[in-house]
Amino acid sequence: MIEIIDNGQCEPGLIYNGVVLHDGRDPMNEARFQTAELQASEADIILVFGVGLGYHLRALRERWPRSRITAYEPAPEIKEAFMARTDVLDFGPDRLNWLEDLDNLGWLVTREIVRGDAGQTVALISPGYKEAFPREADLFSQIISEARIWRAVIEKTAREKNPLFLANLLTNLPTVMKLPCLAGLSHRLTGWPGFIVGSGPSLEKNGHLLRRLEGRGLILAAGSAYRPLLDMGVRPDMVVILEAEDTSHFLGLGPASADVVLALASAAHPHHFQVQGFTLASFHLTRGASFLFGSPDHVPQGGTSGSAAFTLGLLLGLNPLVLLGQDQAFPYGRVHLPGTPGDVPLTPDMTAFSVRGSDGTAVNTHSGFIASLHWFAESINFLKKADPARVVLNASETGAHIPGVPDASLNQVIDALTRSSGGVPRLTDLLVHIAPPEPDQVRRRLDQTGEMIAKLSFIHRRAPDQAGPALAECRAVNPLLDEILFGLDKTASTSQTTTAFEEAEKTILAMLEALD
């Protein structure tokens, strides 16, 4: 029930179901006070839970007149009162945006906070709205908080790993030039079921059931899950490695097989390329590496080999895709299975967050898993629109619920599979027909990238005011250059920019030498 408090002496207040949303004594001053408490010097995007009669929007506009405001109002009758009593505020279509539901908020914060280049994002929930709509307000806050965590994990990973990835790519270049690229198998296995296996503790519960597949589907496993699967009597068809750090000794703990494809990210640690006994193939994590080697596709992932295996399953055309061992949480008090690369003890500095579990109860997770969890949710939501016929199920049976993915019993999923007289095609047989990268093409792209870097360096020295636009233009057309010059932005000093160009030129020359 909505009640407008109009005492005739100032702007009206607002009560909703007995909760005061705007104090009738001076609601505009109240809104200014609450807005002033926001700890932000600037705001690119402002997210508002509850518009009331518009006082908070006006106060926010006074403080940040150029910022975009996106507002969600949980009560339709309040929004109706707002529209009837409040001026349009002259925001314009690019300054005030309405959210119709909180699902749309998830898409917005993913686009703007996680993937976008927005600077400061400000969120406002007034005390009255927090009291009147506690569940919705908590969900609003959680969506924004988890998006910020995801962005922080992405930025931290990029800062720490990008130099290492480039160094590994340089070392691996001669070997990658001899390997078939998995992108060449795009949609070659359309319609076959795929089981995407991670090394979460839940794999101990149901992983042995994969022995019942009997050639009715393919198993794509994270490298950390390889040994546990062998111990269960399960041999995967593909083992996926993307780690920039050396985890190769874990692969040597079990018997290798030439029938198993060791799928190696081109920027993985070089020691993984020296593991014996497997059939080796490459894939590329970034657009820059795909551009260099002439691959039609790169493999987006959420920071884990399991998420890379999921994307490779999509690329191959597998359907349905069944996740297991993808806990994204630690309901058993462990992060991964014992004896795997990710098996580390939980410590107090692993900040725990609560998320919905596969059984509907709350389970604890940490910032890294939140990033991976949201990556899966975002990818699958996009998949529903881009390829509605593709089915994804989560048969981990324990751990976090992945939004948008039905939880399923692995036993029942396997029971429902149809048998084929010929059995699933062998990946190793298909890879025989995939040619390795073309050396002349790789050399030309390195030459082109080197020429761009040299020209940018010249512009930086002779016409520094034109360097920024020129760099942006080159980055847009050459993803390898973009990655080599990672971290170089308008805040860099003259000496930092000069050093970045010098190091980039050295990297290209070293790659050309490695190619020869």
Side-chain angles (χ1 to χ4, degrees):
M1 175 179 163
I2 186 170
E3 180 183 352
I4 305 293
I5 308 169
D6 197 344
N7 58 22
Q9 297 180 354
C10 64
E11 294 176 290
L14 179 65
I15 296 177
Y16 182 76
N17 287 342
V19 177
V20 177
L21 301 182
H22 297 310
D23 191 325
R25 289 169 293 184
D26 194 348
M28 189 61 217
N29 191 54
E30 175 191 46
R32 289 190 180 106
F33 177 78
Q34 292 172 1
T35 301
E37 292 184 319
L38 295 172
Q39 300 298 312
S41 58
E42 58 182 39
D44 269 340
I45 301 170
I46 303 172
L47 303 171
V48 179
F49 181 88
V51 299
L53 297 180
Y55 302 121
H56 291 96
L57 301 187
R58 288 160 56 188
L60 289 165
R61 187 178 179 230
E62 288 176 359
R63 183 171 177 184
W64 293 294
R66 298 181 180 278
S67 300
R68 290 174 289 156
I69 297 178
T70 295
Y72 171 70
E73 174 51 62
E77 58 270 41
I78 295 180
K79 183 176 179 181
E80 185 177 336
F82 167 86
M83 300 298 289
R85 300 181 65 97
T86 308
D87 191 354
V88 181
L89 307 179
D90 194 30
F91 279 100
D94 59 340
R95 286 287 176 261
L96 177 60
N97 175 51
W98 287 97
L99 279 176
E100 298 303 323
D101 57 55
L102 290 181
D103 285 341
N104 288 336
L105 176 65
W107 283 102
L108 174 75
V109 298
T110 297
R111 185 181 72 242
E112 300 286 356
I113 298 178
V114 180
R115 303 295 184 195
D117 57 0
Q120 182 73 37
T121 303
V122 171
L124 173 65
I125 306 175
S126 69
Y129 268 93
K130 191 172 292 187
E131 181 182 350
F133 305 95
R135 186 183 66 83
E136 294 90 342
D138 285 346
L139 181 57
F140 183 89
S141 296
Q142 182 179 3
I143 290 171
I144 296 169
S145 173
E146 291 180 358
R148 286 170 168 162
I149 292 168
W150 187 7
R151 176 62 177 258
V153 169
I154 289 173
E155 291 180 343
K156 180 175 183 289
T157 301
R159 287 194 304 270
E160 294 176 351
K161 298 294 180 68
N162 195 70
L164 187 55
F165 278 139
L166 277 176
N168 288 346
L169 184 63
L170 171 59
T171 303
N172 298 335
L173 187 59
T175 306
V176 174
M177 291 298 299
K178 301 174 184 176
L179 298 180
C181 179
L182 285 163
L185 296 182
S186 178
H187 294 93
R188 294 288 296 275
L189 290 159
T190 297
W192 284 99
F195 293 79
I196 312 301
V197 185
S199 59
S202 67
L203 187 62
E204 216 164 32
K205 175 181 177 181
N206 62 2
H208 64 280
L209 296 174
L210 291 173
R211 295 198 299 262
R212 298 181 50 226
L213 273 182
E214 300 170 346
R216 289 178 288 167
L218 283 92
I219 301 171
L220 278 59
S224 55
Y226 176 60
R227 177 60 189 270
L229 285 174
L230 291 182
D231 290 344
M232 297 174 192
V234 177
R235 189 180 68 186
D237 299 278
M238 180 189 293
V239 176
V240 180
I241 304 291
L242 59 74
E243 284 78 7
E245 301 80 12
D246 185 10
T247 61
S248 59
H249 58 289
F250 287 95
L251 296 171
L253 294 176
S257 170
D259 291 333
V260 177
V261 173
L262 188 60
L264 298 164
S266 53
H269 193 283
H271 286 175
H272 295 113
F273 289 81
Q274 300 170 15
V275 174
Q276 301 295 311
F278 296 92
T279 294
L280 304 188
S282 70
F283 66 95
H284 309 298
L285 294 175
T286 65
R287 289 185 177 88
S290 293
F291 170 82
L292 173 61
F293 292 105
S295 169
D297 297 292
H298 73 292
V299 177
Q301 40 74 40
T304 65
S305 292
S307 59
F310 175 79
T311 304
L312 285 168
L314 290 176
L315 185 147
L316 293 172
L318 302 178
N319 193 25
L321 286 168
V322 183
L323 307 177
L324 63 151
Q326 303 283 358
D327 296 24
Q328 314 300 318
F330 31 90
Y332 296 123
R334 302 194 73 90
V335 179
H336 291 276
L337 283 171
T340 61
D343 179 34
V344 294
L346 293 174
T347 57
D349 62 323
M350 285 185 173
T351 305
F353 300 86
S354 179
V355 297
R356 177 189 167 193
S358 58
D359 60 358
T361 61
V363 293
N364 286 337
T365 189
H366 60 48
S367 59
F369 278 155
I370 280 182
S372 175
L373 181 64
H374 276 264
W375 181 89
F376 271 109
E378 180 197 12
S379 300
I380 290 160
N381 278 328
F382 173 79
L383 188 63
K384 287 179 179 178
K385 297 180 179 180
D387 189 359
R390 197 75 68 106
V391 175
V392 182
L393 302 170
N394 188 0
S396 298
E397 301 188 42
T398 303
H401 169 73
I402 300 175
V405 183
D407 292 295
S409 157
L410 181 59
N411 219 3
Q412 293 174 354
V413 170
I414 294 175
D415 282 342
L417 296 179
T418 57
R419 297 183 182 275
S420 170
S421 57
V424 64
R426 288 173 36 167
L427 288 173
T428 51
D429 292 341
L430 297 175
L431 281 171
V432 171
H433 305 288
I434 304 301
E438 215 289 312
D440 287 342
Q441 183 187 61
V442 175
R443 188 174 289 104
R444 281 196 303 271
R445 292 188 171 176
L446 286 172
D447 285 336
Q448 291 167 2
T449 306
E451 289 170 4
M452 281 187 174
I453 292 170
K455 288 179 181 178
L456 288 169
S457 180
F458 178 82
I459 293 172
H460 166 67
R461 294 193 306 271
R462 298 298 180 88
D465 58 318
Q466 299 176 29
L471 177 58
E473 183 178 344
C474 289
R475 277 177 157 162
V477 299
N478 188 319
L480 177 63
L481 178 143
D482 185 38
E483 290 168 20
I484 289 175
L485 292 174
F486 172 82
L488 182 60
D489 57 29
K490 60 185 179 182
T491 64
S493 66
T494 299
S495 61
Q496 287 173 329
T497 303
T498 300
T499 300
F501 285 135
E502 290 174 350
E503 292 300 317
E505 289 178 321
K506 290 178 184 177
T507 298
I508 294 297
L509 287 173
M511 285 183 171
L512 284 167
E513 289 175 3
L515 192 61
D516 293 334

